[in-house]
Amino acid sequence: KQEVTQIPAALSVPEGENLVLNCSFTDSAIYNLQWFRQDPGKGLTSLLLIQSSQREQTSGRLNASLDKSSGRSTLYIAASQPGDSATYLCAVSNYQLIWGAGTKLIIKP
Amino acid sequence: DGGITQSPKYLFRKEGQNVTLSCEQNLNHDAMYWYRQDPGQGLRLIYYSQIVNDFQKGDIAEGYSVSREKKESFPLTVTSAQKNPTAFYLCASSTNHQGGRNEQFFGPGTRLTVL
């Protein structure tokens, strides 16, 4: 059974720092991996989708990597800003999406 | 603008009542999904529909029911059989199910509280 883990559950860093969020999964037989952002009390916004054949995807200050063999993905956020404060969720696709519990990120001004 | 709408934003239910959460999309997507989100847990799939008049149970379907009479609409009913319904409910859609491979787009959610 696929399990997805995100560590840490919460992270607080000063504005301007580069940071990495982690996502690990137990079954490497995935179609893709997706990263989402969720603001408090709101729905989810898709950030990046990495196909199983890809190693990374970039969008602006965000870069997501995928290492299927080790069951790991990272989301790199460059030059963090207070507006980046949110919960970041990853999900792996294997017939259906299996979700991590998220990392709550706080960027301190 | 294309997107997914959910209503109401907040919903309060008394013990023993059935309530229905609305989800509408104008993205012309075939597949639609209902998830439940609880604090400290990942999203869990309740039901999904790949096409009109068809739907399948997800991991936690007990106490819930759905219908898919129109492509644009996928309402979720939380029945009195659902013992712990207080949660945040999210609706999503994708171009088609394709084994969950396609990018899913989410609505703003409905927070349901049992009084």
Side-chain angles (χ1 to χ4, degrees):
Chain A
K1 178 184 173 185
Q2 178 74 270
E3 293 183 359
V4 180
T5 304
Q6 292 186 249
I7 295 174
L11 181 64
S12 179
V13 300
E15 179 180 6
E17 283 199 3
N18 303 325
L19 59 98
V20 173
L21 305 181
N22 297 296
C23 174
S24 61
F25 47 95
T26 55
D27 184 349
S28 62
I30 63 172
Y31 296 128
N32 58 48
L33 183 145
Q34 300 178 49
W35 282 94
F36 294 84
R37 168 186 172 135
Q38 185 176 30
D39 293 289
K42 301 290 179 65
L44 277 65
T45 301
S46 178
L47 297 173
L48 291 163
L49 184 153
I50 311 176
Q51 300 291 353
S52 61
S53 58
Q54 297 175 319
R55 295 296 297 245
E56 65 178 327
Q57 281 282 354
T58 298
S59 176
R61 294 183 293 109
L62 305 179
N63 175 276
S65 69
L66 175 62
D67 184 343
K68 273 181 46 177
S69 61
S70 67
R72 296 174 61 184
S73 175
T74 61
L75 179 66
Y76 175 83
I77 302 177
S80 59
Q81 304 169 0
D84 294 330
S85 297
T87 296
Y88 291 81
L89 300 121
C90 71
V92 298
S93 170
N94 185 358
Y95 188 70
Q96 68 181 50
L97 285 181
I98 306 298
W99 296 80
T103 295
K104 182 176 182 178
L105 177 63
I106 297 174
I107 307 298
K108 298 176 289 186
Chain B
D1 288 333
I4 302 175
T5 58
Q6 291 186 241
S7 62
K9 184 173 182 179
Y10 299 98
L11 185 58
F12 298 91
R13 192 195 92 169
K14 295 181 180 179
E15 294 279 354
Q17 278 185 337
N18 292 353
V19 291
T20 298
L21 284 60
S22 170
C23 177
E24 304 276 334
Q25 55 97 1
N26 60 6
L27 300 168
N28 200 33
H29 286 171
D30 284 323
M32 297 187 73
Y33 308 83
W34 273 107
Y35 293 95
R36 171 179 171 142
Q37 186 177 34
D38 294 282
Q41 297 187 39
L43 275 67
R44 293 181 289 169
L45 182 65
I46 304 173
Y47 269 97
Y48 69 98
S49 168
Q50 299 187 63
I51 201 167
V52 175
N53 292 323
D54 177 74
F55 48 83
Q56 283 82 41
K57 293 181 179 180
D59 298 323
I60 56 166
E62 185 175 353
Y64 300 98
S65 65
V66 293
S67 63
R68 187 84 187 279
E69 298 177 0
K70 299 187 298 181
K71 187 175 186 178
E72 302 79 19
S73 179
F74 191 41
L76 173 74
T77 297
V78 184
T79 75
S80 56
Q82 170 50 237
K83 298 307 179 188
N84 184 23
T86 295
F88 191 53
Y89 291 85
L90 289 158
C91 178
S93 70
S94 64
T95 50
N96 50 59
H97 183 54
Q98 278 279 321
R101 305 180 202 191
N102 291 321
E103 185 178 4
Q104 293 186 16
F105 298 83
F106 283 79
T110 292
R111 184 164 300 281
L112 172 63
T113 303
V114 173
L115 301 174

